[in-house]
Amino acid sequence: RFLIGEDPLNIEYIWDMMWRSSINYGRKGLTIQAISAIDLALWDCAGKLRNEPVYKLVGGKTKNGLPCYATCYNPLAAKNLGFKGAKFPLPYGPADGDHGLIKNIQRIKDIRFSVGDDFPLMIDCYMSLTVPYTLKLLELIQPYNIKWLEEALPPDQYNGYSQIKKENRTTCLLTCGEHEYTRWGFKLLLDNYCVDILQPDVTWAGGLTECRRIVALASAYDIPIVPHGSSIYSYHLQYAFPNLPMSEFLLLSPNGDSISPIFGQLFHDEPLPINGWITLDTYKPGFGVTLNKTNLFRPYFNQNRTK
């Protein structure tokens, strides 16, 4: 009801209306994710109406291509596919005690040996650790040259993230933000000195409209942004701003050893990395992809829809 009859090019106004109308129940989570989806559709519409790629609408091109790291279970496969680094999960957490910690370190050691000394490696903890466990882990992984440790704590533990960053005596960077929402959530992370790198998901955190604000906010703190993997939506944001140096690509193939579209069969022409690089077609308007309409259906019937 907030969208019907509105000019789709009034993107800022529509975002503000959606945000304010749902603020009492939707400051984080599913509501913001829904706003994000609508916002991205509006930017795609604007690009197609103006026959320009979205990145040209929000600032133009700051780079000719995006280096990609792969999120996967097997970093050696990612290296063989040409990616510029790899991020992998750990199988054990605090509940597994010292025995689990030893197994985690052994896995890290084995992966480092398999890819060599110079290939960038990152670890994804997916909100599963505690402050003491994270500090111990940071100490033990020092010999293996880990680039960053990601999302060690649940997203609302700002004090915990701040403590880890303050007590971190290693060169391993600390990252989070995949499950944070809107500029206000990211301002908390910045004001409390929680991170070295922010990782908003453009399809969750408020869409392109809000992520532009998050990017500007982070630049004032000299904090780079590496968005959580959201394919074309983050690619266009990264093309348009200089403080987004690299991209995440999720290896979702069954064996994790081949490249397949992040959005599956949703688009006919989702761009894929070649030798670890994403390049956007400057002649494709909007986000540069074509929706595959096979088997699509409207989830509800709109009684007010004009026939």
Side-chain angles (χ1 to χ4, degrees), residues 6-130:
E6 292 294 334
D7 184 339
L9 295 179
N10 292 334
I11 298 174
E12 286 280 350
Y13 171 72
I14 291 173
W15 195 98
D16 191 67
M17 184 165 50
M18 290 189 294
W19 161 257
R20 292 182 185 279
S21 67
S22 61
I23 197 170
N24 65 314
Y25 61 85
R27 289 165 33 247
K28 295 180 185 286
L30 186 59
T31 304
I32 301 299
Q33 292 185 11
I35 289 174
S36 303
I38 293 167
D39 182 76
L40 293 170
L42 293 175
W43 278 107
D44 190 53
C45 177
K48 286 171 179 171
L49 286 173
R50 292 170 174 166
N51 199 32
E52 285 191 315
V54 167
Y55 71 80
K56 286 190 176 181
L57 302 182
V58 295
K61 186 166 66 173
T62 65
K63 47 185 75 72
N64 293 318
L66 295 169
C68 296
Y69 76 89
T71 293
C72 57
Y73 190 77
N74 182 2
L76 181 57
K79 182 180 181 181
N80 292 337
L81 289 168
F83 286 97
K84 309 310 177 187
K87 185 173 71 188
F88 61 95
L90 296 179
Y92 303 98
D96 300 299
D98 291 341
H99 180 67
L101 182 58
I102 291 169
K103 286 191 172 184
N104 277 341
I105 299 302
Q106 185 61 51
R107 171 160 164 74
I108 295 166
K109 181 180 179 181
D110 292 344
I111 289 173
R112 171 52 73 197
F113 179 78
S114 73
V115 298
D117 293 336
D118 298 328
F119 187 69
L121 288 176
M122 296 77 85
I123 295 173
D124 192 345
C125 305
Y126 203 73
M127 309 175 284
S128 62
L129 307 184
T130 63

Side-chain angles (χ1 to χ4, degrees), residues 66-72 74-85 231 235 248-265 269-278:
L66 295 169
C68 296
Y69 76 89
T71 293
C72 57
N74 182 2
L76 181 57
K79 182 180 181 181
N80 292 337
L81 289 168
F83 286 97
K84 309 310 177 187
S231 185
Y235 300 158
E248 177 180 23
F249 191 86
L250 310 176
L251 282 184
L252 299 177
S253 60
N255 295 320
D257 57 1
S258 62
I259 294 172
S260 58
I262 290 177
F263 287 109
Q265 301 306 309
D269 46 4
E270 183 180 339
L272 299 176
I274 298 174
N275 198 29
W277 287 84
I278 284 285

Side-chain angles (χ1 to χ4, degrees), residues 48-286:
K48 286 171 179 171
L49 286 173
R50 292 170 174 166
N51 199 32
E52 285 191 315
V54 167
Y55 71 80
K56 286 190 176 181
L57 302 182
V58 295
K61 186 166 66 173
T62 65
K63 47 185 75 72
N64 293 318
L66 295 169
C68 296
Y69 76 89
T71 293
C72 57
Y73 190 77
N74 182 2
L76 181 57
K79 182 180 181 181
N80 292 337
L81 289 168
F83 286 97
K84 309 310 177 187
K87 185 173 71 188
F88 61 95
L90 296 179
Y92 303 98
D96 300 299
D98 291 341
H99 180 67
L101 182 58
I102 291 169
K103 286 191 172 184
N104 277 341
I105 299 302
Q106 185 61 51
R107 171 160 164 74
I108 295 166
K109 181 180 179 181
D110 292 344
I111 289 173
R112 171 52 73 197
F113 179 78
S114 73
V115 298
D117 293 336
D118 298 328
F119 187 69
L121 288 176
M122 296 77 85
I123 295 173
D124 192 345
C125 305
Y126 203 73
M127 309 175 284
S128 62
L129 307 184
T130 63
V131 171
Y133 191 98
T134 304
L135 290 171
K136 184 66 173 176
L137 184 63
L138 285 166
E139 178 187 336
L140 294 176
I141 64 178
Q142 286 188 80
Y144 308 111
N145 190 25
I146 300 300
K147 184 177 179 67
W148 75 58
L149 193 70
E150 179 174 322
E151 208 175 27
L153 307 177
D156 292 318
Q157 291 193 15
Y158 303 105
N159 289 340
Y161 276 112
S162 181
Q163 181 183 345
I164 291 170
K165 189 171 186 312
K166 187 180 297 183
E167 297 184 24
N168 181 20
R169 299 291 182 263
T170 76
T171 58
C172 182
L173 302 173
L174 302 170
T175 72
C176 72
E178 171 185 341
H179 295 103
E180 190 55 84
Y181 295 90
T182 74
R183 77 199 89 152
W184 292 279
F186 284 90
K187 189 173 186 299
L188 279 171
L189 291 171
L190 291 165
D191 286 344
N192 288 283
Y193 300 98
C194 293
V195 294
D196 298 299
I197 298 172
L198 285 175
Q199 297 171 301
D201 188 307
V202 183
T203 66
W204 297 344
L208 192 67
T209 298
E210 189 68 351
C211 282
R212 288 193 305 169
R213 301 175 182 130
I214 294 166
V215 167
L217 190 61
S219 70
Y221 291 76
D222 287 328
I223 295 292
I225 287 182
V226 179
H228 176 245
S230 43
S231 185
I232 50 168
Y233 303 113
S234 62
Y235 300 158
H236 280 258
L237 182 72
Q238 289 172 283
Y239 251 56
F241 296 96
N243 59 324
L244 294 90
M246 67 187 307
S247 187
E248 177 180 23
F249 191 86
L250 310 176
L251 282 184
L252 299 177
S253 60
N255 295 320
D257 57 1
S258 62
I259 294 172
S260 58
I262 290 177
F263 287 109
Q265 301 306 309
L266 185 61
F267 302 115
H268 289 295
D269 46 4
E270 183 180 339
L272 299 176
I274 298 174
N275 198 29
W277 287 84
I278 284 285
T279 304
L280 297 180
D281 189 331
T282 58
Y283 296 102
K284 285 189 172 183

